[in-house]
Amino acid sequence: MSSAVIVRGMPDEAWQVVDGGRVLGFVVHYGTGDDADKAYFSVRNEHQQELGIVDAQGRAWRYRAHQREPDWLGSGTVVSGSRSILAGSDSTQLVPIALDRLGDPAAATSPR
């Protein structure tokens, strides 16, 4: 534990994950200030439950219930990682959304 480093990340951008006009969930970018390598993208379902992450290098992981380690899904873009985590199709898109709308139930049912 003596080598552990505390890194504080604050949400600074968010997107709806939209597939065929349906909101699958959300992606929230957590920036860490000067060190872009420590930033990551939280991938959440429509109920704001974090199901996985995409790191700054594009590696995507999905969390599994009762498993210590997440499943590595591959590497690529944030769109492809969120698509894999949320089981979207090739038409999955990220649509920008204001951070303050993340808690709005209407944001989970209609794009933008």
Side-chain angles (χ1 to χ4, degrees):
M1 291 299 285
S2 63
S3 63
V5 177
I6 296 173
V7 177
R8 296 188 195 283
M10 296 299 294
D12 55 15
E13 289 185 87
W15 299 265
Q16 288 176 315
V17 182
V18 179
D19 187 3
R22 186 174 143 243
V23 178
L24 299 179
F26 301 91
V27 171
V28 180
H29 179 261
Y30 282 84
T32 58
D34 297 334
D35 194 353
D37 285 343
K38 299 222 186 307
Y40 71 97
F41 298 85
S42 167
V43 180
R44 305 168 178 188
N45 66 12
E46 67 275 14
H47 304 292
Q48 296 297 331
Q49 298 165 318
E50 187 174 60
L51 299 185
I53 65 166
V54 179
D55 69 10
Q57 288 75 40
R59 297 174 295 200
W61 287 274
R62 181 186 306 131
Y63 300 131
R64 294 288 184 185
H66 311 294
Q67 298 298 316
R68 182 174 292 245
E69 298 296 323
D71 292 339
W72 178 63
L73 302 176
S75 297
T77 65
V78 176
V79 174
S80 66
S82 61
R83 177 188 309 132
S84 295
I85 292 167
L86 296 172
S89 71
D90 288 341
S91 65
T92 300
Q93 300 176 28
L94 298 184
V95 178
I97 185 172
L99 286 171
D100 61 356
R101 289 214 44 227
L102 289 174
D104 180 1
T109 58
S110 62
R112 242 174 181 224

